Amino acid sequence: MARNQQIVLDNRPQGEAVAGNFKLVASDTPALQDGQVLVRHHYLSLDPYMRGRMNESKSYAASQALGEVMIGGTVGEVAESQNPKYAVGDKVVGMGGWQEYSVVDANAPGALRKVDTTHVPLSHYLGAVGMPGVTAWYGLVKIIAPKEGDTVVVSAATGAVGSAFAALAKARGCRAVGIAGGADKCRYAVEELGFDACIDYKEHSDVKAMSKALKEACPNGIDGYFENVGGWIMDAVMLRMNAFSRVALCGMIAGYDGQPLPMANPALMLINRMKIEGFIVSEHMEVWPDALKELGTLVGTGKLRPRETIAEGIAAAPEAFLGLLKGRNFGKQLVKLI
């Protein structure tokens, strides 16, 4: 038995999310039943999708229940086991949520996965070699499906998904262009992540200016676009898309506070005979082994060097999450729990 601090969703946001939507509680972990393991979380993942789950509205997944531990990916180690497949000390990744410990039915498919930390740090299994990395892989490989020489663009280029996108695109012989907020992030995108160019949306802060910057960075137009943001940035990118271009629609962080996101010129989809496909990576578990193998190799060989922003302690999770929604993080946002 251990004392377990947890963050629950106390009330739903009215517009923008605030720290008061969350509540810190504590309880003792229950005794294990056959097949269960107790996991001591080392890191908690904070991701933009969590904001959508806080709303009580129709979406691709059920809303986060009030009074329950916030959903979230975790990595840690087995602290106690009543399952022969898992030994104390095994490093594991799962969906333990915003808490210090979780009790997991380790026989449930996909509930827990052992990971090897010999060449890949444990925390990276929540980012580059985890769900965000596989998200980048699926959108690029399965939807954009680029040919060598294609130009591909990603918004939120220095976030957890965008960071993996450049290495994957360069491995396929593409010109990779990022969109990020601030000169430091854009410099990091080019100098460390391997983007050929990165456009600062804070400097080019409307559709006309962004479209002009994209024209300079993408002289042959855009063949594939990985969308994480939506809103006016998507409007600007749409103006530069080539005929028969493809859009992987992953996130719409600009609309996560509940307001609809109108599109300025949807006729471009018809004019350019574009393919636009939304996807949820957890619905495509069949690709995860191939994706994780490539991502692990890229990290292990130094071709993918993800950066992390780390908050300390479970109590810091709400403010770190609100900062993520405003783009204050640099790379993958994590909470260190030990």
Side-chain angles (χ1 to χ4, degrees):
M1 187 178 291
R3 195 66 176 162
N4 185 23
Q5 292 197 96
Q6 307 165 308
I7 301 283
V8 301
L9 182 63
D10 188 57
N11 55 82
R12 300 202 186 279
Q14 304 300 313
E16 190 172 309
V18 296
N21 298 137
F22 306 96
K23 185 178 180 182
L24 178 65
V25 300
S27 63
D28 292 331
T29 58
L32 297 185
Q33 298 177 3
D34 282 350
Q36 292 183 331
V37 299
L38 177 67
V39 179
R40 174 72 165 102
H41 301 150
H42 289 206
Y43 292 94
L44 162 67
S45 174
L46 298 179
D47 300 280
Y49 77 82
M50 296 169 177
R51 175 62 188 87
R53 300 277 185 97
M54 293 169 71
N55 297 333
E56 193 170 33
S57 57
K58 184 180 184 299
S59 186
Y60 59 85
S63 295
Q64 169 74 44
L66 291 176
E68 303 230 339
V69 175
M70 280 288 295
I71 190 173
T74 49
V75 289
E77 66 179 303
V78 175
E80 187 183 337
S81 178
Q82 291 294 328
N83 190 303
K85 299 174 190 169
Y86 292 88
V88 171
D90 282 349
K91 301 296 190 292
V92 291
V93 58
M95 292 293 288
W98 293 26
Q99 55 185 340
E100 294 173 323
Y101 291 86
S102 61
V103 174
V104 183
D105 177 1
N107 291 324
L112 213 56
R113 180 168 58 90
K114 290 185 204 178
V115 293
D116 182 357
T117 57
T118 307
H119 301 292
V120 177
L122 182 61
S123 60
H124 285 5
Y125 286 104
L126 292 175
V129 195
M131 180 273 289
V134 179
T135 299
W137 190 97
Y138 188 89
L140 178 69
V141 176
K142 295 297 185 180
I143 297 177
I144 295 173
K147 303 184 300 292
E148 188 172 350
D150 277 0
T151 296
V152 294
V153 175
V154 62
S155 54
T158 60
V161 174
S163 295
F165 186 88
L168 294 166
K170 296 308 292 180
R172 286 157 178 81
C174 298
R175 177 172 176 79
V177 176
I179 300 170
D184 287 346
K185 288 185 177 181
C186 286
R187 192 177 308 113
Y188 165 67
V190 173
E191 293 178 1
E192 292 190 45
L193 293 177
F195 281 96
D196 294 288
C198 187
I199 301 165
D200 182 358
Y201 68 76
K202 293 182 178 178
E203 182 181 346
H204 306 279
S205 56
D206 58 42
V207 171
K208 186 176 179 181
M210 176 59 70
S211 182
K212 182 180 178 185
L214 283 162
K215 187 175 183 179
E216 292 175 4
C218 310
N220 297 321
I222 299 170
D223 301 297
Y225 178 48
F226 193 109
E227 178 61 283
N228 289 307
V229 176
W232 67 269
I233 289 178
M234 186 174 183
D235 288 334
V237 175
M238 293 287 282
L239 293 169
R240 304 261 64 95
M241 299 297 285
N242 289 331
F244 304 105
S245 51
R246 291 82 61 197
V247 177
L249 200 55
C250 172
M252 289 287 199
I253 198 170
Y256 280 178
D257 288 337
Q259 295 301 313
L261 285 181
M263 180 178 278
N265 198 349
L268 290 168
M269 291 186 282
L270 173 60
I271 293 166
N272 287 323
R273 289 84 80 207
M274 293 169 62
K275 171 186 172 182
I276 299 182
E277 183 176 339
F279 74 100
I280 308 302
V281 74
S282 59
E283 296 176 349
H284 304 281
M285 297 307 293
E286 74 282 354
V287 309
W288 282 56
D290 287 345
L292 290 170
K293 183 178 179 181
E294 180 176 359
L295 291 159
T297 300
L298 288 170
V299 169
T301 57
K303 293 179 180 176
L304 172 53
R305 293 183 289 172
R307 191 178 288 194
E308 298 170 333
T309 297
I310 298 177
E312 296 282 345
I314 190 68
E319 287 295 347
F321 176 64
L322 299 176
L324 165 74
L325 296 177
K326 295 184 180 298
R328 293 186 188 130
N329 60 302
F330 214 125
K332 175 66 192 171
Q333 178 66 61
L334 298 169
V335 181
K336 192 170 187 288
L337 299 174
I338 63 165

